[in-house]
Structure formats: C-alpha cells, structure tokens
Amino acid sequence: SPELTQPPSVSVSPGQTAKITCSGDALTNQFSFWHQQKPGQAPVLVIFKDTERPSGIPERFSGSSSGTTVTLTISGVQAEDEADYYCQSADTSGPYVLFGGGTKLTV
Amino acid sequence: HVQLVESGGGVVQPGGSLRLSCAASGFSFSTYGMHWVRQAPGKGLEWVAVISYDANNKYYAESVEGRFTISRDNSKNTLFLQMNSLRPEDTAVYYCAKRIAVDLWGIDYWGQGILVSVSS
C-alpha cells in the first residue's frame, strides 16, 4: 500500500540547519503538508502545498519538493523547534490520506 | 479564530461502542471537509476518516472500514465519529481536523484531541 517514509530522528545544534525528508510515490502528483507536534500537544501545520508557510509560522521554516521526495528545512534552529514532525500527503486511490512515520527533531 | 473541541471519549470494553463529537467554530463549517485522525500511545499519526463539506462523500482507513462511521450536522457545526466493535488496538487520542480546501486532502487546523481507551 502507498506510504511515506521519514527518518526516525534528526539531531542538530542550535543555530544550525535541520533538514527532514519525506519520500513516497504519492508525492509525485499530490501536495505535501508538514505538521509539528510537541509533547502532549496537538499537531500544528507548518508547511502546506509543499512550500507555503501559514501565517504565524516563523520564516525559518521552509519546504521544497523534488520528484518523490519533499524536504522540510528549519534554518537557524532554536530550542523551541524540538518536536516531532510529520509529513502528510494523499493517494486518491486509497487510503486517501497518508502520514509519514514522523521524525523526532532533537536540538 | 478556528476552534475544534472534541468530546465523548473515555474507557470502553472490547466490542463496545462510543460516539465522538467535535464542535467547530471560527470558520464556515458547512463549506469545509473534515477529518478524524488518531494517535496510539507513543506512536505516530494515523488517518481514520474524512467527510466532504456536504456529507455526500465519506472515506475510511482500512483499519476502521465497516466499524466506524463519520457524519456531520452542519446546522450545529458538529462533526461525529461513531465507533462500533471497538478493539484494544483502537486505543488512541482522536483528533478532529479541518480540511484545508475542497480540492486538497491536507489538514490546516487540529482539535486538542480526546482519549479513547479500549480495555476490559
């Protein structure tokens, strides 16, 4: 069945750049969305339609897409960015909405 | 601002039923599709179901197909998830979430979540 693959963990020092990848065939014809989830909290959308940033999300968050891989980039990582990050996309042949397994970002 | 507030969770025995509700405010509820997404303890996000703005289209994850039913009442700005034949593996925090646009499957807002525990 269709799936999205993320690295389980990424670790960076404060001020560095973190890159989190998400791979899957569905990404060739469906947009990606990235959600940040801090412990004990609901997820929050940080990137939509591959590259767009919702209002209120810091400019250090950006997204890119190439073929079957999308990437969430956090430039100048801050301690408050430590969280789990999930990519989301779709497969219109079912199961319709896909989530990656999540990446734990450690700062 | 957008608010989604889930209710109806709790502890239920295997084979039992539960109905979750999600009260929506801060946006035109009747013009957006809505999702249910769950998260088992210590695990990742798992999509459960989606319903179109007019309730004419509903889709389910294989793991809940035939046991769960998504519905909505646009006159009351409320989303529902009827869960029957519950199993221990259905134990999770359940989130209602707003679909970002009619032609996109993405989510732009999440509720705070409600815990469902299936245990004898």
Side-chain angles (χ1 to χ4, degrees), chain B residues 50-98:
Chain B
V50 64
I51 186 169
S52 61
Y53 68 96
D54 57 2
N56 283 342
N57 295 290
K58 306 173 186 180
Y59 302 100
Y60 299 91
E62 277 188 27
S63 57
V64 306
E65 179 87 58
R67 300 188 299 123
F68 289 12
T69 302
I70 188 171
S71 61
R72 63 190 298 158
D73 185 340
N74 285 344
S75 69
K76 296 182 178 178
N77 289 353
T78 304
L79 175 72
F80 302 101
L81 185 68
Q82 177 66 44
M83 303 184 294
N84 298 331
S85 303
L86 282 161
R87 306 166 180 167
E89 55 265 35
D90 295 319
T91 294
V93 172
Y94 284 73
Y95 296 98
C96 76
K98 174 182 166 293

Side-chain angles (χ1 to χ4, degrees), chain A:
Chain A
S1 62
E3 58 183 34
L4 299 176
T5 302
Q6 298 180 234
S9 62
V10 169
S11 182
V12 297
S13 300
Q16 290 187 328
T17 296
K19 289 183 179 292
I20 300 173
T21 59
C22 175
S23 300
D25 290 339
L27 297 171
T28 56
N29 57 20
Q30 291 290 330
F31 284 117
S32 65
F33 302 78
W34 287 95
H35 304 274
Q36 175 196 67
Q37 187 180 35
K38 296 181 179 180
Q41 298 184 20
V44 172
L45 178 69
V46 294
I47 292 291
F48 66 100
K49 292 176 67 176
D50 294 343
T51 61
E52 300 191 42
R53 192 175 54 249
S55 61
I57 299 301
E59 290 184 9
R60 63 181 181 273
F61 288 86
S62 64
S64 61
S65 175
S66 179
T68 60
T69 299
V70 295
T71 303
L72 172 68
T73 300
I74 311 172
S75 305
V77 168
Q78 300 183 7
E80 67 197 49
D81 299 330
E82 187 163 283
D84 293 326
Y85 291 86
Y86 294 90
C87 64
Q88 182 212 339
S89 189
D91 186 312
T92 54
S93 64
Y96 305 105
V97 177
L98 305 171
F99 283 100
T103 298
K104 181 175 181 60
L105 175 65
T106 301
V107 180

